[in-house]
Amino acid sequence: MNTHTSDTTTDAPLVSARGLTKHYEGFSLEGVDLDVREGEIVGFVGKNGAGKSTTIKALLGLIATDSGTSSVLGTPSELLSRPVGAHAKERVGVVFDTVSLPGHLRVRDVGTIYAHAYDRWDAHRFSRLTDTFDLPVEKCVKDLSRGMGMKLSLACALSHDAHVLILDEATAGLDPMARDEVLDRLRDFVAEPGRAVLMSSHITSDIERIADRVVCIDDGRIVFDLPKDAITDEMGVARCRVADFERVAASGMVPESELRYLRHEYGIDVLVPDRYDFARRFPEIPCDRMTIDDYLTLTLKGGVR
């Protein structure tokens, strides 16, 4: 009897990692904690080589870890590649940053192959998605552009009744209109009960549009895990001159040990936790809305007072 059945209650994360650690020569994943709960789209960000893909492979049981635990739909990650984990694996849709399908297959044939791999494969849905994504069904996988390959991978992931989507740079190579279509599909997917998305991307504008939370990894460690709205709706970037910066620092609005800033040719950008409060206190200092790019830059590259 399979005791590792999927748990899609609102109390249990659909994707979970605790203390995930993996050592390579020259790089280590160090104690990664991560949760993705029902109804959430979690944006997973960080520069190249920061540990995003390693974390995703560990969650999917594709690599063995040195310590820590992780699970998807209540099934321990290390069991996903074994028969006991087949039930959970059926309900996980995965898109990697490269197309992992034999190049000689026609797009039309891909659906036939997947129908043998997944008990809940929906051929009609796959056909509708290939049509929606303008995929040429007679073309071979090896002849598809990078963007077309990503759309084919996503069509596959959305066609076998997945409850969790784990996407590694799934919008890479797509033109703006195609990205809009993919993001709409992800919104529709997570709107249904028992669904969640973990999405890594370098295109932070995509994360900004649809994510509920943003998790950043750097050098193998989680740097922050915040509600997206806390960044984009509450925080700000104060555009200070040197004298302005000293006044802000002396005001105590931000504890001096937490005052993050970035010097550039024209002044100093300062991370402000509450831009509305800042505007009341310092109406003469411009304070812009924070973007995820701004927050990443100030967090990863900015100095601390």
Side-chain angles (χ1 to χ4, degrees):
M1 180 179 176
N2 179 7
T3 58
H4 299 286
T5 55
S6 109
D7 185 346
T8 57
T9 66
T10 55
D11 294 332
L14 303 192
V15 179
S16 180
R18 289 291 177 272
L20 217 51
T21 300
K22 174 70 175 178
H23 299 294
Y24 293 106
E25 185 176 349
F27 173 78
S28 290
L29 201 66
E30 296 283 3
V32 167
D33 292 341
L34 177 66
D35 282 338
V36 185
R37 297 186 177 274
E38 178 179 344
E40 282 192 319
I41 298 177
V42 174
F44 196 29
V45 299
K47 59 191 177 185
N48 285 334
K52 299 189 302 297
S53 292
T54 302
T55 301
I56 286 172
K57 288 175 182 175
L59 287 168
L60 293 170
L62 299 176
I63 59 172
T65 55
D66 297 317
S67 62
T69 60
S70 61
S71 64
V72 180
L73 291 169
T75 298
S77 296
E78 64 269 20
L79 299 184
L80 288 175
S81 58
R82 304 178 193 175
V84 73
H87 177 72
K89 196 172 182 180
E90 277 268 336
R91 299 175 122 179
V92 181
V94 180
V95 178
F96 291 114
D97 58 350
T98 55
V99 179
S100 52
L101 291 165
H104 69 276
L105 287 179
R106 295 178 303 168
V107 169
R108 175 190 307 285
D109 299 330
V110 169
T112 304
I113 299 295
Y114 268 73
H116 291 285
Y118 290 96
D119 290 338
R120 300 180 69 87
W121 180 256
D122 187 336
H124 294 295
R125 181 170 178 78
F126 179 71
S127 178
R128 288 197 304 272
L129 285 169
T130 56
D131 184 55
T132 298
F133 290 156
D134 293 323
L135 288 166
V137 294
E138 298 299 333
K139 209 166 189 178
C140 290
V141 169
K142 63 182 173 61
D143 296 324
L144 297 176
S145 67
R146 176 175 171 80
M148 285 289 186
M150 290 296 98
K151 287 196 281 188
L152 175 58
S153 295
L154 189 62
C156 292
L158 289 169
S159 296
H160 57 84
D161 193 32
H163 281 208
V164 168
L165 293 181
I166 297 180
L167 313 176
D168 193 0
E169 302 294 341
T171 57
L174 299 181
D175 61 63
M177 288 184 65
R179 291 212 326 269
D180 286 345
E181 174 64 28
V182 167
L183 296 180
D184 287 342
R185 292 283 165 179
L186 295 181
R187 285 194 196 93
D188 293 343
F189 173 86
V190 84
E192 296 185 37
R195 305 290 181 86
V197 176
L198 175 63
M199 175 183 178
S200 85
S201 182
H202 285 103
I203 306 171
T204 55
S205 59
D206 289 350
I207 301 292
E208 198 161 310
R209 284 181 57 188
I210 66 168
D212 300 290
R213 279 180 29 244
V214 183
V215 179
C216 175
I217 190 168
D218 189 55
D219 198 22
R221 295 175 174 84
I222 299 297
V223 178
F224 65 81
D225 181 344
L226 291 169
K228 189 264 312 259
D229 291 348
I231 298 172
T232 59
D233 291 359
E234 298 173 18
M235 298 183 186
V237 184
R239 312 296 185 182
C240 298
R241 298 169 298 181
V242 173
D244 295 331
F245 177 62
E246 295 302 331
R247 282 198 300 123
V248 171
S251 73
M253 181 180 180
V254 182
E256 194 163 354
S257 61
E258 300 174 14
L259 189 64
R260 289 199 168 271
Y261 64 92
L262 195 64
R263 295 182 184 273
H264 53 81
E265 185 179 353
Y266 303 104
I268 304 172
D269 290 342
V270 178
L271 193 160
V272 173
D274 184 337
R275 70 175 184 269
Y276 303 103
D277 185 35
F278 183 89
R280 286 190 292 270
R281 294 196 193 196
F282 302 98
E284 72 285 2
I285 302 175
C287 186
D288 296 335
R289 172 185 175 274
M290 181 78 75
T291 66
I292 293 173
D293 267 340
D294 291 332
Y295 192 73
L296 282 171
T297 300
L298 283 160
T299 301
L300 301 180
K301 298 180 180 179
V304 178
R305 182 75 168 177

